[in-house]
Amino acid sequence: MTSDDALDQFRHIARERAFGRHVGSDRLIQAALDALIAGVESPSLAMLAGLLRSEEPEAPELFDQVLEELGLLFHPPADPRAAKWAMAYWIAGQIADGSLDPAAGTRLIWADIAYDLGYPEELKPLVRCAHNLDDWEESWGVSIDELNREAVEAATQFLSQRSAAEAGD
């Protein structure tokens, strides 16, 4: 793992936590260990990496301190709807770049975002992909790989609509 990879891991975990996803202390400590080994430097990084099992409750606070020291703190929008949209774009980006399994990503968008936003039109293709991937049966005559490709295409299309909307602003 390079220092850039370690910093990307910190950014990813920071967003997961900011969007309300549970991240165990063991992952926070492991990310710190990975970062130390990769040569990342921060005053609190070694303290986080060296936490013992009995000290795990301290990990979230130390992780936030490391994020601050590295300039990686992430705050989602304060408006709950805007935060849900930001989370949708973040997850779609992971689906599109291959860092998140299409079935898992579309399921998150369906269950954690689309419902709360009232199933907006922009998310319907991703929700449809989630349903197809969840309900898939071999008898459908379409492979699971094809459904995964459709999910990646839907995520890419969703992201391109955002880019076009932002360019028009």
Side-chain angles (χ1 to χ4, degrees), residues 1-91:
M1 176 176 285
T2 67
S3 61
D4 286 342
D5 293 336
L7 293 174
D8 285 344
Q9 182 177 8
F10 266 86
R11 285 183 195 94
H12 178 83
I13 293 172
R15 279 166 177 70
E16 274 187 274
R17 293 179 71 230
F19 287 128
R21 311 291 304 164
H22 173 73
V23 178
S25 293
D26 57 330
R27 267 188 71 203
L28 303 178
I29 295 167
Q30 185 61 53
L33 285 168
D34 293 343
L36 271 180
I37 292 168
V40 174
E41 294 183 16
S42 153
S44 303
L45 188 60
M47 289 190 315
L48 175 59
L51 288 179
L52 303 172
R53 181 166 298 284
S54 63
E55 300 170 314
E56 282 185 358
E58 299 172 33
E61 185 178 331
L62 270 174
F63 184 81
D64 288 342
Q65 192 171 331
V66 170
L67 289 176
E68 188 171 331
E69 293 166 0
L70 295 173
L72 300 176
L73 272 178
F74 173 77
H75 298 285
D79 174 64
R81 286 188 63 79
K84 288 290 182 181
W85 280 108
M87 185 176 177
Y89 287 115
W90 176 64
I91 292 171

Side-chain angles (χ1 to χ4, degrees), residues 146-169:
E146 179 59 30
L147 293 178
N148 281 324
R149 278 191 293 279
E150 287 176 13
V152 170
E153 288 172 21
T156 303
Q157 182 65 30
F158 174 67
L159 292 169
S160 71
Q161 290 169 351
R162 175 188 190 188
S163 299
E166 287 176 352
D169 287 346

Side-chain angles (χ1 to χ4, degrees), residues 124-136:
K124 285 184 180 176
L126 290 161
V127 170
R128 190 171 25 260
C129 290
H131 285 285
N132 289 340
L133 287 163
D134 265 2
D135 296 338
W136 179 79

